[in-house]
Amino acid sequence: MKKWSSAVLPLSIMLVLVALSAWLRYATELPDATRDGRNRHDPDAILNDVRGHRLDAAGVLLYRIEAVEVRHYPDDETSEFTQPRLAFVTPAKPTVTIRADEGRATEKAKQVDLGGQVEIRRAASGRQAALLAETPELTVLTDEKRAYTGSKVLITQGASWVQGVGMRVDHALQTYVLESDVRGEIESPFARKKKPKT
């Protein structure tokens, strides 16, 4: 009996050490995914003076994009743009260009959230003067060629202007629909031009 009791203490210590060793090994073995930096919101690529374009499956141009700087983040597959510029080109229709101070795009840039001073410019065509829409923020759905905002908007075209809160834009149809608090002055196309006094 004495031999057994003298062996219990060293065996107990050895079992505790084995258990601690197994626990330490388990605790220190982290999955590779947590050590690759993907859980941090750090850019894995920074590009300057970026110019690109996106085509649909048939090879038709959906839009062109330019930016002073683009930062890509691998943790959520987003990109941040400095001074982005989007251009929607539709055959037989004036080009629509969107500029902003900053932007953030989801994966594959299907949705681009623009901020700062956002300007939408539609080029002049035929009898239509160029159009300018200004708003502090705009969400662009690039593949659908649509955009929307819930913020204040000011639209000017020639001598006409209109402002409101909230706007829906369809770049393919080139329509701009203000949602609320709309007011403005629209110049009639039939108004006679006043001759300057001599």
Side-chain angles (χ1 to χ4, degrees):
M1 189 76 175
K2 196 170 185 182
K3 288 183 179 180
W4 174 252
S5 63
S6 63
V8 169
L9 181 62
L11 282 173
S12 300
I13 291 173
M14 196 153 84
L15 284 172
V16 169
L17 287 174
V18 168
L20 281 173
S21 296
W23 179 80
L24 281 172
R25 182 177 177 198
Y26 173 77
T28 57
E29 283 185 1
L30 299 174
D32 288 340
T34 59
R35 287 187 277 178
D36 66 0
R38 290 184 65 88
N39 292 336
R40 297 189 331 227
H41 193 65
D42 294 330
D44 64 347
I46 301 173
L47 307 170
N48 293 308
D49 195 23
V50 176
R51 291 184 179 90
H53 58 273
R54 183 169 174 120
L55 308 174
D56 66 9
V60 176
L61 178 67
L62 292 173
Y63 61 89
R64 291 192 308 259
I65 187 166
E66 297 177 5
V68 171
E69 182 181 272
V70 178
R71 291 175 178 252
H72 178 263
Y73 295 89
D75 61 323
D76 58 2
E77 292 297 332
T78 60
S79 299
E80 291 181 357
F81 299 88
T82 302
Q83 297 180 9
R85 179 176 176 252
L86 287 162
F88 291 95
V89 181
T90 306
K93 292 185 180 177
T95 300
V96 176
T97 305
I98 305 172
R99 294 178 188 260
D101 294 334
E102 59 193 20
R104 186 171 188 272
T106 59
E107 185 179 2
K108 297 183 181 177
K110 291 190 175 185
Q111 177 176 318
V112 181
D113 296 311
L114 301 172
Q117 180 59 35
V118 182
E119 297 180 350
I120 304 172
R121 294 182 183 272
R122 187 180 70 195
S125 67
R127 295 182 180 179
Q128 285 191 336
L131 180 140
L132 171 64
E134 299 170 276
T135 184
E137 62 179 358
L138 185 72
T139 297
V140 182
L141 305 174
T142 53
D143 288 357
E144 300 173 32
K145 294 189 175 185
R146 293 187 302 113
Y148 62 89
T149 182
S151 299
K152 289 185 177 180
V153 181
L154 172 64
I155 299 174
T156 55
Q157 185 176 25
S160 302
W161 64 271
V162 64
Q163 66 182 23
V165 176
M167 177 177 66
R168 303 273 172 195
V169 181
D170 188 321
H171 299 301
L173 298 175
Q174 299 201 344
T175 57
Y176 302 79
V177 178
L178 295 176
E179 297 178 326
S180 64
D181 296 331
V182 180
R183 64 188 182 92
E185 292 180 4
I186 307 295
E187 181 184 47
S188 169
F190 304 107
R192 291 185 178 179
K193 303 287 184 189
K194 292 184 180 179
K195 293 183 180 178
K197 294 181 180 178
T198 55

